[in-house]
Amino acid sequence: MSKSAKIFAATYFLGCCILMLLGALVPGSNGLVAVVAKPWGKTAVEVVANAEGRIIFVRDGAWVALTEATDQEFIDRLYKSGAGFVASSAVAFACARWIGVSLERAT
């Protein structure tokens, strides 16, 4: 295999991995989402409040907040309110587990 073919194969593989990762991070229309604020803008708490959402969890810095999305319109409102990134529920649960917060609901 030539050097250019190896470079192409490696680039193609990495590109596919990045696309799959981004696809996994994009939130669905409902469930928990992690709202990440822009460093130069409002805090995540302000973004969720301006989008008329309910804050489920926030840490000291207030740059990442967990909220519950009920539909795609709410996620759009988060972006319009100044969110830098809205991550999927899988990311929200992973972040919560990483910092030692239980998000399981009592039944």
Side-chain angles (χ1 to χ4, degrees), residues 6-92:
K6 288 179 183 178
I7 291 172
F8 173 76
T11 304
Y12 183 79
F13 176 74
L14 289 175
C16 289
C17 289
I18 289 170
L19 285 175
M20 290 183 65
L21 179 64
L22 289 175
L25 294 177
V26 174
S29 60
N30 59 4
L32 285 180
V33 293
V35 178
V36 181
K38 296 175 186 172
W40 56 85
K42 302 173 186 173
T43 64
V45 173
E46 292 172 321
V47 169
V48 173
N50 289 343
E52 300 173 2
R54 183 174 63 96
I55 297 167
I56 294 175
F57 182 79
V58 67
R59 248 321 194 214
D60 301 334
W63 295 108
V64 178
L66 298 181
T67 187
E68 190 163 4
T70 54
D71 55 11
Q72 186 62 40
E73 290 178 14
F74 177 67
I75 294 171
D76 294 340
R77 285 197 316 265
L78 287 170
Y79 280 115
K80 287 178 185 175
S81 296
F85 182 68
V86 180
S88 70
S89 59
V91 174

Side-chain angles (χ1 to χ4, degrees), residues 66 88-101 103:
L66 298 181
S88 70
S89 59
V91 174
F93 277 109
C95 290
R97 237 180 281 128
W98 186 32
I99 59 175
V101 175
L103 295 177

